[in-house]
Amino acid sequence: MTKDIATPGRTKEILEKHGFSFKKSLGQNFLIDVNILNQIADAAGTNENDGVVEVGPGIGALTEQFAKRVKQVEAFEIDGRLIPILEDTLSPYDNVTIHNEDVLKADVKNVINEKMHDVHEIAVVGNLPYYVTTPILMKLLEQRLPVTRIIVMIQKEVADRIAAKPASKEYGSLSIAVQYYSNASTVTIVPKTVFVPRPKVDSAVLKLEIRKTPPVHVKNEEFFFKVVRASFAQRRKTIWNNLQHNLLGKERKELLAQSLKQAGIEPQRRGETLSMEEFANLSNELYDFTSGLSSL
Ligand code: SAM
């Protein structure tokens, strides 16, 4: 039986055998701790009837753990230099397909629909490249993929912002965007020492349980997110100032005053104190007043 890929010794051996050099620009920090990989795999809650979509397999450390646990793994890796290495390291497993593609451009939904009908539940997993964490997560969520949960390693600071509750200093438009689609929580904090090369910041494993329906009713999603982003544009400003300066303009003061009143929100409050429900009420009120205004 071969040794796990994610031990310091075996990883070094694989990298040397293939003469691989890390590309910082692709966020390449490989995991060398099997315990952490097992925690990610446990959090995914998958079994032998399930499927996994992996973002950024690297040399296959996490891929291997899922290949052992689930029916099928579809992995997206942007770096063509890693493809022959993955063919080598994952050769003991016949249930893994590697797509040499940028996950931001790939049609993940189509791969799931075409290739994963035989699986029960699907989880998305990955030790994400930190330079594109948020775009990757938002793409996966906005596409409304037929997946049960997303388990990813990301920077701790971003995980804190994603899972934040109202009135905390981390709470902002990213918390609302992600929590609109999912129930977010941190599984564990991960030290820098379990990666090669070591990143500058601590990491965390984030769990997103995908919601079947959003937790609030919004009349227009695009407009709702516009209101949320504008409300946090300058954190120290009130909701009144932010929405006036960043969405509506001074000439629509009256409309803003009426909408806030209808939604029961004091104009002097800051965005960070509003719950998702309050943002939904406010955006629905504003939408009723402004739906004819194409400039917004
Ligand atoms: N899963 C491996 C591990 O844990 O050891 C590698 C994780 S490393 C943090 C991120 C991986 O994502 C790298 O292999 C990198 O080449 C790949 N990657 C970076 N940008 C990507 C993108 N846009 N689409 C797909 N893969 C990407």
Side-chain angles (χ1 to χ4, degrees):
M1 185 153 160
T2 51
K3 274 188 280 163
D4 285 310
I5 296 168
T7 62
R10 176 107 198 276
T11 296
K12 191 164 174 259
E13 198 182 292
I14 293 167
L15 297 176
E16 279 175 5
K17 176 177 169 193
H18 294 273
F20 183 80
S21 54
F22 293 102
K23 259 196 197 157
K24 212 174 159 191
S25 62
L26 290 179
Q28 293 178 336
N29 301 95
F30 294 171
L31 275 166
I32 48 163
D33 186 320
V34 179
N35 289 328
I36 299 289
L37 293 167
N38 280 326
Q39 284 187 44
I40 298 176
D42 288 346
T46 44
N47 65 34
E48 68 282 2
N49 298 315
D50 294 334
V52 154
V53 172
E54 186 187 358
V55 179
I59 59 169
L62 187 60
T63 328
E64 172 184 59
Q65 302 303 326
F66 280 104
K68 289 184 201 167
R69 290 176 183 233
V70 304
K71 189 165 185 182
Q72 190 182 348
V73 181
E74 301 286 328
F76 293 83
E77 173 55 62
I78 197 172
D79 188 348
R81 300 173 309 150
L82 288 165
I83 307 305
I85 306 184
L86 286 162
E87 277 165 11
D88 180 16
T89 58
L90 299 174
S91 60
Y93 311 98
D94 61 4
N95 56 349
V96 180
T97 306
I98 306 291
H99 304 260
N100 183 198
E101 274 183 274
D102 177 346
V103 75
L104 289 171
K105 296 190 183 139
D107 192 344
V108 180
K109 199 174 205 168
N110 187 47
V111 169
I112 291 178
N113 289 340
E114 296 274 302
K115 301 189 66 182
M116 300 184 96
H117 5 241
D118 276 357
V119 302
H120 183 213
E121 290 190 345
I122 301 174
V124 178
V125 306
N127 168 16
L128 293 188
Y130 290 179
Y131 75 110
V132 277
T133 303
T134 311
I136 290 176
L137 281 179
M138 290 319 300
K139 178 187 166 176
L140 295 170
L141 292 168
E142 283 166 0
Q143 282 207 322
R144 295 196 151 94
L145 301 174
V147 306
T148 309
R149 59 184 68 82
I150 299 179
I151 310 289
V152 281
M153 175 88 77
I154 63 174
Q155 303 99 298
K156 179 182 174 299
E157 178 258 327
V158 181
D160 288 345
R161 286 200 278 132
I162 286 175
K165 297 279 173 269
S168 64
K169 71 177 193 315
E170 291 85 9
Y171 180 69
S173 51
L174 182 62
S175 330
I176 295 175
V178 174
Q179 291 175 31
Y180 180 78
Y181 297 102
S182 67
N183 209 330
S185 61
T186 298
V187 174
T188 186
I189 312 293
V190 180
K192 306 175 185 81
T193 47
V194 299
F195 301 90
V196 298
R198 280 186 196 182
K200 291 208 170 65
V201 292
D202 281 328
S203 304
V205 178
L206 177 77
K207 171 154 96 169
L208 305 178
E209 293 285 349
I210 304 301
R211 297 182 193 278
K212 290 205 167 57
T213 50
V216 292
H217 165 70
V218 298
K219 290 184 176 166
N220 180 298
E221 282 182 356
E222 202 185 327
F223 186 73
F224 167 69
F225 289 121
K226 256 187 201 168
V227 170
V228 171
R229 278 195 301 273
S231 304
F232 285 103
Q234 283 142 305
R235 285 191 75 91
R236 304 200 54 76
K237 286 197 168 169
T238 60
I239 188 109
W240 172 267
N241 280 332
N242 265 328
L243 287 178
Q244 200 180 113
H245 290 128
N246 305 306
L247 188 73
L248 296 160
K250 280 204 170 97
E251 63 282 10
R252 301 204 185 91
K253 263 187 192 167
E254 216 17 66
L255 184 157
L256 177 57
Q258 274 190 52
S259 300
L260 284 165
K261 194 164 175 225
Q262 292 287 349
I265 296 164
E266 286 293 321
Q268 296 317 313
R269 286 174 63 186
R270 288 192 188 148
E272 68 206 47
T273 69
L274 267 66
S275 66
M276 191 176 332
E277 195 165 2
E278 288 179 306
F279 273 117
N281 291 339
L282 177 58
S283 93
N284 288 343
E285 292 296 336
L286 280 168
Y287 189 70
D288 283 343
F289 286 123
T290 59
S291 48
L293 303 170
S294 56
S295 60
L296 293 182

